[in-house]
Amino acid sequence: MGNVTAGVAAKFAFFPPEPPTYEVFKDEDGRVCFSGITADKNVNVHLLDTKGGNKIVATFWKHPSGRFTLLYSHGNAADLGQMIDLFVELRAHLRVNIMCYDYTGYGGSSGKPSEFNTYHDIEAVYNCLKSEYSIKQEDIILYGQSVGSGPTLHLASRLQRLRAIVLHSAILSGIRVLYPVKMTFWFDIFKGTSDEVVDFSHGKRLWELAKEKYDPLWVEGGGHCNLETFPEYIKHMRKFVNAMEKHSFSKRNKGRLSQAPSITESKHNRCLRFGKRQK
């Protein structure tokens, strides 16, 4: 029954771009390459094996003086090929490394997308950061956009010394994106254990549930797909990263996670909603 319900949920939840917007190939030296990325010694492409038996594409964008690494889980109906310019801008303005990946079934990643595959995906990416780049969790900022908030919080619940978490247009659960329900259905995905009471805004409710908070950014007039285009977005993110550099772990209570800032929109559009394709 579990496999059947997971399959039904996946059909309503995940919409990878068809066809993918990029290709992955190997050059004459056997190095994995990513179409659309010009020669850049500070960008590495990985094909990672997951516990779900799939191979996913991940790219590591290194900043020469970056202290932190942003582990970026993108939104629905997008793949890495569409986000190259964004990663270039974030790396430059925030002065951080960026590790981003395509979920199972997205872009050049194999397999079929599902809730549990996204969990396997982000775990494989985190393991790569540890093994390939010796990056400690204290120097990682998890970033989850829309559907990416699911795997982001999954990994956050298992790591106790993360630097911080950023939630961007986050969701309380899959079905609650479509309907303002208070109950949990068998076919729901990314359903949490503390979200029985749903506020009018998913992002605001998640921010309220956070044990440690940073001043949130509510973008007036922002939509689901365009928050990065507002000047206050980069300004707030830069301020946040600077604050995290000064943040001491000694000030934290043991076992508590930082979820800040929660970035959401004040007006929704249907660009990446569950159950509805982009128009």
Side-chain angles (χ1 to χ4, degrees), residues 24 31-34 37 43-47 57-60 133:
V24 174
R31 180 182 177 183
V32 180
C33 300
F34 189 106
I37 299 180
V43 178
N44 295 326
V45 183
H46 299 274
L47 284 175
V57 181
T59 55
F60 183 76
Y133 301 99

Side-chain angles (χ1 to χ4, degrees), residues 112 245 249 260:
K112 295 183 178 180
E245 291 179 347
F249 277 90

Side-chain angles (χ1 to χ4, degrees), residues 144-150 152-153 165-174 176-177 190-214 216 218 257-264:
Q145 178 183 8
S146 187
V147 71
S149 59
T152 291
L153 292 177
I165 304 167
V166 177
L167 298 180
H168 174 156
S169 300
I171 60 174
L172 281 167
S173 74
R176 289 180 175 90
V177 176
F190 300 132
K191 45 189 177 290
T193 58
S194 303
D195 62 343
E196 288 80 10
V197 179
V198 181
D199 207 294
F200 71 95
S201 165
H202 288 231
K204 287 185 177 180
R205 180 57 180 153
L206 285 165
W207 183 76
E208 291 167 359
L209 291 170
K211 296 296 189 298
E212 294 185 68
K213 297 178 175 64
Y214 184 84
W218 313 115
L257 298 171
S258 176
Q259 298 185 23
S262 176
I263 302 177
T264 191

Side-chain angles (χ1 to χ4, degrees), residues 23-249:
E23 295 180 356
V24 174
F25 57 94
K26 291 186 178 181
D27 61 17
E28 296 178 352
D29 298 324
R31 180 182 177 183
V32 180
C33 300
F34 189 106
S35 62
I37 299 180
T38 56
D40 185 341
K41 64 181 180 180
N42 290 321
V43 178
N44 295 326
V45 183
H46 299 274
L47 284 175
L48 305 177
D49 294 313
T50 75
K51 291 180 181 178
N54 300 301
K55 284 187 177 294
I56 63 169
V57 181
T59 55
F60 183 76
W61 301 71
K62 182 175 177 57
H63 190 285
S65 59
R67 175 181 175 185
F68 298 136
T69 294
L70 207 66
L71 200 173
Y72 196 110
S73 299
H74 64 68
N76 210 350
D79 67 21
L80 295 180
Q82 297 169 304
M83 307 185 73
I84 293 173
D85 291 341
L86 172 63
F87 296 140
V88 170
E89 291 295 318
L90 288 179
R91 181 177 63 174
H93 288 290
L94 303 181
R95 297 182 179 179
V96 295
N97 307 314
I98 301 174
M99 178 62 124
C100 48
Y101 64 103
D102 264 338
Y103 311 116
T104 293
Y106 280 67
S109 298
S110 68
K112 295 183 178 180
S114 72
E115 174 186 357
F116 287 100
N117 274 334
T118 66
Y119 300 155
H120 297 321
D121 298 340
I122 197 170
E123 289 171 1
V125 174
Y126 172 69
N127 289 334
C128 177
L129 285 177
K130 289 193 303 179
S131 62
E132 296 292 327
Y133 301 99
S134 300
I135 294 176
K136 300 177 181 179
Q137 61 173 288
E138 293 93 326
D139 295 324
I140 294 176
I141 297 174
L142 296 185
Y143 190 114
Q145 178 183 8
S146 187
V147 71
S149 59
T152 291
L153 292 177
H154 163 80
L155 184 62
S157 69
R158 286 155 173 74
L159 304 177
Q160 302 300 313
R161 292 187 62 81
L162 288 167
R163 178 61 54 169
I165 304 167
V166 177
L167 298 180
H168 174 156
S169 300
I171 60 174
L172 281 167
S173 74
I175 196 66
R176 289 180 175 90
V177 176
L178 293 176
Y179 303 104
V181 297
K182 294 184 178 180
M183 66 183 70
T184 298
F185 294 94
W186 60 266
F187 53 85
D188 202 359
I189 71 166
F190 300 132
K191 45 189 177 290
T193 58
S194 303
D195 62 343
E196 288 80 10
V197 179
V198 181
D199 207 294
F200 71 95
S201 165
H202 288 231
K204 287 185 177 180
R205 180 57 180 153
L206 285 165
W207 183 76
E208 291 167 359
L209 291 170
K211 296 296 189 298
E212 294 185 68
K213 297 178 175 64
Y214 184 84
D215 292 339
L217 173 64
W218 313 115
V219 180
E220 183 63 32
H224 198 75
C225 310
N226 65 351
L227 298 187
E228 302 92 337
T229 65
F230 286 77
E232 56 264 45
Y233 168 83
I234 285 293
K235 182 179 179 180
H236 200 79
M237 282 296 299
R238 186 185 296 119
K239 180 181 177 182
F240 167 69
V241 171
N242 290 339
M244 291 303 99
E245 291 179 347
K246 301 175 183 178
H247 187 61
S248 171
F249 277 90

